[in-house]
Amino acid sequence: MTVQPQQATMPTVLVFEDDPGGDPLHINMPVPHPVPQLDTQPFPTAIAETAPQPNGAGPGTEAFRYWVAADSLGRAGQTWGPLVPAGTKWHPQVGRALTAHLNAGDDLNAFYDRKGVWFFRSTVAGVNIAACESNEVVLHETGHAVLDALRPQLFNMASAETAALHEAFGDISALLGSLQLDSLRIAVLGETHGNLELSSRVSRMAEQLGWAIRQGAPSAVDPDCLRNMANNFFYRDPVLLSPSEPASRLSSEPHSFSRVFSGAFLKIVAGIFRQQDLQDQAGLGRAAEIAGQLLVDAVVAAPVVSAYYAQVAGHMIAADQRRNGGMYGQSLRSAFIRHGILSLESAASITEPEVARRNAGITEAMPGGGDEEGLTPVTVQGTIYGVTQPLTLSAPAQERRFGIAGSDPAGGSVRPSDPERVATSFLEDLFRRGRVQVPAEHRSATSFADDSPSRLKTHEITRSTTGEGLALVRRCFD
Ligand SMILES: [Zn+2]
């Protein structure tokens, strides 16, 4: 038997490495990658459309869009697969493999809905925008599916802060996916002169989609991308924030509010990187992996409560003590304090003895579990929401493990809002943003349901499956 030299025969496809880029006249240079493997454990993926020949098709062709999406799905598996606990699977409703639909209709958006990940297209100022052509968008949506596998209880939670953590996890998925590539690690070290906190190609999410949205809604997104993880947004209890704001300000809208957590995460990667022996591309790869591991550990173990960011932060610090002897504690505390996710007193309270005392509950945590585990039903009057019957919401009310909270801008700690207030505030915000589908039979005479087709409905009002009356359920994360 003759051994063929592998490299000479390995077929490749052309792909973008992170995004088409924010200037449609000067798109990023496509690069050759090996034909991606999708059916890999623990997160097998598939694409609904038929696979074209890997024949080196370039931007603007269906074949190119297919292989960019496939490459991104494969990279999502490589990014998260090694970090999740053994036995982690997609949410049962997803099925064995997560299926991507690359041409789901006309819109500038994408979403995950437990049936798959859906990518839309639109033409803006003569430019064809396909969301599946951005690795950052594909990795963001796949990130929602990964977090849903780890923590299905977050899906239906009526809480701005848990929804925003889902969005942050999506952007972190895109960041860690980009940092899987040697070429992008080298590029970002050059662009930031080794200071990963700075704005860079990998901190700027979905530059092309951002450009397209900006043409019609100039203040809805950042000036150079959709969202930037290099930011200084400071924590406020989202119950106190407006339901929507221009991109330059923080609102309770989950994508907007996600920037507080994703901003801290970028600083954590930067801090862990500074602590590596060598500040080279390998050291950056290692830093990204360490930070991703601590996040996975934390979301599996953290109870779902109001002031959820603080709980996840505390569990990342605890995970570092358990895994690394607390080696990165200073980087973690500093990033969470700079974004107000932990108050000074909270950050100082997560000591080694405190973590050791609570260790049992943390290490026994398993991914998955029942969708309703830890959710506390809260029933509100339907009339004030324009529906005909009482309405049940799922409030975040698990038992807190660490008595910690975010910073009050005036000093000290924020007092976490009670779960009922978190849930009703979330519902009000959904209506104020026109994001709830209300079927005609449930509308009262004073209904204010928004029927505009341009508002993606992330939630719907349905007959309750567990009790009397109606319930708010999530359809998707976009
Ligand atoms: Zn999202």
Side-chain angles (χ1 to χ4, degrees), residues 378-393 420-432 436-439 442-450 461 470 472:
V378 166
T379 303
V380 295
Q381 269 194 24
T383 38
I384 57 169
Y385 300 101
V387 298
T388 52
Q389 294 175 60
L391 184 56
T392 299
L393 312 171
E420 186 167 336
R421 171 120 195 257
V422 168
T424 52
S425 157
F426 181 73
L427 175 64
E428 275 194 37
D429 281 357
L430 285 178
F431 275 112
R432 296 194 283 197
V436 191
Q437 176 70 43
V438 186
H442 303 322
R443 295 182 184 189
S444 70
T446 56
S447 170
F448 36 76
D450 182 328
I461 305 286
L470 304 172
L472 176 75

Side-chain angles (χ1 to χ4, degrees), residues 140 144 167 255 478:
H140 175 100
H144 280 303
E167 297 306 334
H255 298 85
D478 66 338

Side-chain angles (χ1 to χ4, degrees), residues 92-161:
Q93 287 173 27
V94 167
R96 197 188 71 84
L98 177 73
T99 301
H101 302 262
L102 307 187
N103 197 356
D106 186 356
D107 200 356
L108 291 171
N109 210 345
F111 63 74
Y112 162 72
D113 74 350
R114 285 185 171 170
K115 295 189 191 79
V117 279
W118 305 79
F119 300 94
F120 293 80
R121 300 180 178 192
S122 198
T123 302
V124 175
V127 179
N128 293 316
I129 307 291
C132 72
E133 211 171 49
S134 167
N135 320 67
E136 287 166 345
V137 174
V138 176
L139 277 144
H140 175 100
E141 300 309 330
T142 316
H144 280 303
V146 169
L147 182 51
D148 197 27
L150 294 169
R151 261 310 203 172
Q153 300 81 16
L154 298 175
F155 194 84
N156 268 323
M157 190 67 70
S159 151
E161 201 157 326

Side-chain angles (χ1 to χ4, degrees), residues 104-426:
D106 186 356
D107 200 356
L108 291 171
N109 210 345
F111 63 74
Y112 162 72
D113 74 350
R114 285 185 171 170
K115 295 189 191 79
V117 279
W118 305 79
F119 300 94
F120 293 80
R121 300 180 178 192
S122 198
T123 302
V124 175
V127 179
N128 293 316
I129 307 291
C132 72
E133 211 171 49
S134 167
N135 320 67
E136 287 166 345
V137 174
V138 176
L139 277 144
H140 175 100
E141 300 309 330
T142 316
H144 280 303
V146 169
L147 182 51
D148 197 27
L150 294 169
R151 261 310 203 172
Q153 300 81 16
L154 298 175
F155 194 84
N156 268 323
M157 190 67 70
S159 151
E161 201 157 326
T162 61
L165 197 284
H166 238 283
E167 297 306 334
F169 198 94
D171 284 356
I172 290 166
S173 177
L175 172 77
L176 297 181
S178 292
L179 293 178
Q180 287 273 317
L181 301 181
D182 302 5
S183 53
L184 284 183
R185 293 199 298 268
I186 292 166
V188 71
L189 286 173
E191 188 180 357
T192 62
H193 301 286
N195 184 1
L196 267 291
E197 289 186 25
L198 300 180
S199 179
S200 74
R201 187 166 164 182
V202 299
S203 78
R204 291 186 290 269
M205 290 294 134
E207 289 93 330
Q208 190 187 56
L209 193 59
W211 173 86
I213 292 172
R214 209 178 305 120
Q215 305 314 302
S219 66
V221 296
D222 278 6
D224 54 359
C225 61
L226 186 67
R227 283 183 294 281
N228 200 334
M229 291 174 79
N231 70 63
N232 287 303
F233 288 109
F234 196 83
Y235 182 84
R236 295 294 309 270
D237 185 340
V239 159
L240 305 173
L241 292 171
S242 313
S244 54
E245 288 282 354
S248 57
R249 294 166 57 99
L250 198 62
S251 78
S252 65
E253 196 282 324
H255 298 85
S256 174
F257 196 66
S258 77
R259 298 176 296 175
V260 175
F261 195 91
S262 62
F265 189 87
L266 182 69
K267 290 181 177 66
I268 289 166
V269 173
I272 295 176
F273 174 61
R274 280 194 293 272
Q275 286 185 262
Q276 299 303 299
D277 292 338
L278 287 177
Q279 269 74 61
D280 57 5
Q281 64 88 6
L284 177 54
R286 176 98 190 103
E289 195 182 307
I290 292 166
Q293 183 68 69
L294 298 178
L295 178 63
V296 166
D297 289 355
V299 295
V300 171
V304 183
V305 293
S306 55
Y308 182 58
Y309 278 7
Q311 284 295 311
V312 175
H315 283 78
M316 283 181 76
I317 294 170
D320 175 57
Q321 287 177 8
R322 215 171 52 248
R323 278 191 186 265
N324 313 313
M327 194 189 305
Y328 304 112
Q330 195 186 330
S331 293
L332 292 160
R333 286 188 178 86
S334 151
F336 289 130
I337 285 173
R338 285 172 67 190
H339 283 269
I341 290 170
L342 291 178
S343 63
L344 302 182
E345 60 190 359
S346 292
S349 74
I350 311 166
T351 57
E352 255 186 273
E354 174 70 3
V355 170
R357 208 162 63 76
R358 313 218 177 236
N359 213 0
I362 299 176
T363 47
E364 284 160 11
M366 292 290 289
D371 288 6
E372 307 295 318
E373 200 179 290
L375 305 195
T376 300
V378 166
T379 303
V380 295
Q381 269 194 24
T383 38
I384 57 169
Y385 300 101
V387 298
T388 52
Q389 294 175 60
L391 184 56
T392 299
L393 312 171
S394 300
Q398 283 190 303
E399 198 180 326
R400 273 170 218 286
R401 186 169 287 115
F402 297 114
I404 52 178
S407 270
D408 187 327
S413 301
V414 168
R415 202 186 123 85
S417 295
D418 71 78
E420 186 167 336
R421 171 120 195 257
V422 168
T424 52
S425 157
F426 181 73

